[in-house]
Amino acid sequence: MPMLPAYDGITLALGGSTVRLRPSLRAASRLGVSPEEMRLPVLNLHLGTIREIITMAATDRQEATAFLDQIDVTPLQIVADAIIAPLFVFLASFAPAEDRPSTADKAPSDNAPSGSPMAWPDVVKLLYRRATGWLHWTPEVAWNATPAEINDAFAGWLEHIEATTPRDPNDHDQPRRAPTKHDPEQAARNAAAGLDPEF
């Protein structure tokens, strides 16, 4: 089965019922554990886990209810054949893409620990903070975006900052740095010294 684009969801079909699932940040936060941890229960056809995934990621609650009702009246082997492989693809689509520019690893004040894996709730918090704090998306837009959409937008923002931030022409070895967050005290000190407050 080919991998889906990271922004797309999947549509599960079973006995005439369909449900569309989207790997939004909201769904990611509701899972509570990493999508990787849900792979084994899905493989073992743990219906509680499967119901949880469908309920939390469905784009339409009525479709989800009808689909879950269909699971209840369908032989388990048919259910397994219809949904295990697509759910594996779906769970993989929660992971932000790995091919990010190196500047994404150097974001100021990102507080992301380097070299150690993050707990899934911390990944969700980091993505939400990037979407709302750095990209200035509304909470609703952030929750409806996928992790890959957030990471791509954030990487694009960092590329923009790097491309538009002046660099000391004599300092060839230092990478450009993104500006720090606005500091009112620093702005007041700059103004008192006759400098641009936003410098």
Side-chain angles (χ1 to χ4, degrees):
M1 172 175 279
M3 290 298 290
L4 294 172
Y7 304 152
D8 291 344
I10 62 164
T11 299
L12 299 176
L14 182 66
S17 290
T18 61
V19 62
R20 179 162 174 74
L21 307 181
R22 177 167 166 79
S24 66
L25 188 62
R26 178 177 280 115
S29 72
R30 290 177 177 170
L31 292 179
V33 298
S34 75
E36 185 66 30
E37 293 175 75
M38 296 192 133
R39 289 170 55 93
L40 185 58
V42 167
L43 181 62
N44 291 330
L45 203 64
H46 185 271
L47 293 180
T49 300
I50 290 169
R51 286 178 172 279
E52 184 178 1
I53 294 168
I54 292 170
T55 300
M56 294 180 184
T59 59
D60 184 294
R61 185 173 291 278
Q62 289 180 332
E63 282 184 357
T65 300
F67 191 86
L68 293 173
D69 289 345
Q70 186 63 44
I71 286 178
D72 291 339
V73 297
T74 304
L76 287 180
Q77 187 58 54
I78 295 173
V79 172
D81 292 343
I83 69 172
I84 287 178
L87 281 179
F88 264 51
V89 172
F90 178 69
L91 290 172
S93 70
F94 275 105
E98 295 298 325
D99 56 340
R100 298 287 168 255
S102 60
T103 52
D105 298 329
K106 301 174 184 174
S109 305
D110 220 5
N111 296 330
S114 59
S116 60
M118 295 177 70
W120 186 247
D122 293 334
V123 172
V124 172
K125 286 179 191 175
L126 174 63
L127 291 169
Y128 182 80
R129 188 170 64 242
R130 285 179 173 178
T132 58
W134 289 98
L135 299 174
H136 304 291
W137 293 357
T138 65
E140 189 62 21
V141 169
W143 285 124
N144 287 322
T146 68
E149 287 171 330
I150 294 170
N151 256 16
D152 277 342
F154 185 70
W157 177 81
L158 288 174
E159 289 171 2
H160 169 75
I161 293 298
E162 184 171 338
T164 59
T165 300
R167 186 188 323 200
D168 182 345
N170 298 322
D171 193 359
H172 300 289
D173 294 331
Q174 292 298 315
R176 293 177 176 155
R177 297 188 181 274
T180 58
K181 292 182 179 177
H182 179 71
D183 181 353
E185 293 176 2
Q186 182 63 51
R189 287 193 297 273
N190 288 352
L195 300 172
D196 179 354
E198 298 301 319
F199 180 70

